[in-house]
Amino acid sequence: MTPPPQGPRGPAAPAGPLAHAFRRRRVGRMADDDGTGGGGAVRVDSWIWSVRLTKTRSQAATACRGGHVRVNGERVKPAQSLRPGDEVRLFHAGHERIVVVSRLIRKRVGAPAAVQCYVDNTPPPPPREFAAPTGVRDRGAGRPTKRDRREMDRLQGRQG
């Protein structure tokens, strides 16, 4: 029995109906180096998920539908196309991420490869001393009463 033919990176690609699937898997998950990706554009929700700005694609699509994603300053739907050079603003998990698309990818990749696909222009978070202090209640004090809530609102500067 003869061993299978070897290519520069392992077994040679099979011929026949499996050849296309084998080549596509082996080529990798990145789009072309010029950023066109062969087809030209990628869906916003898919790209946000691919570069790991959200944990799931459905979270990315929900954020788009909810108006939490802006491309070049305009709200977008999940199927909106992205191009290299677009600025994507995503409000997620309590803060806004501002990234500029440098490379298009279609599939989720590892974190080191994902970071190469965008330029992060997100401003740093404010220092802790500038953040509003949160109220601390004694352990076992139970739920705050209506009076306690009014006092907390008055201390925090919220008038209701």
Side-chain angles (χ1 to χ4, degrees), residues 46-62:
S46 177
W47 187 84
I48 289 172
W49 166 74
S50 298
V51 297
R52 299 176 170 264
L53 295 179
T54 59
K55 285 186 178 182
T56 64
R57 183 166 172 188
S58 65
Q59 276 183 348
T62 303

Side-chain angles (χ1 to χ4, degrees), residues 51-92:
V51 297
R52 299 176 170 264
L53 295 179
T54 59
K55 285 186 178 182
T56 64
R57 183 166 172 188
S58 65
Q59 276 183 348
T62 303
C64 291
R65 276 189 237 106
H68 301 293
V69 178
R70 293 179 179 267
V71 175
N72 298 327
E74 295 188 18
R75 287 177 157 183
V76 294
K77 294 181 179 180
Q80 175 79 29
S81 296
L82 269 184
R83 304 247 179 233
D86 286 345
E87 180 189 63
V88 178
R89 290 176 175 255
L90 169 70
F91 188 79
H92 180 69

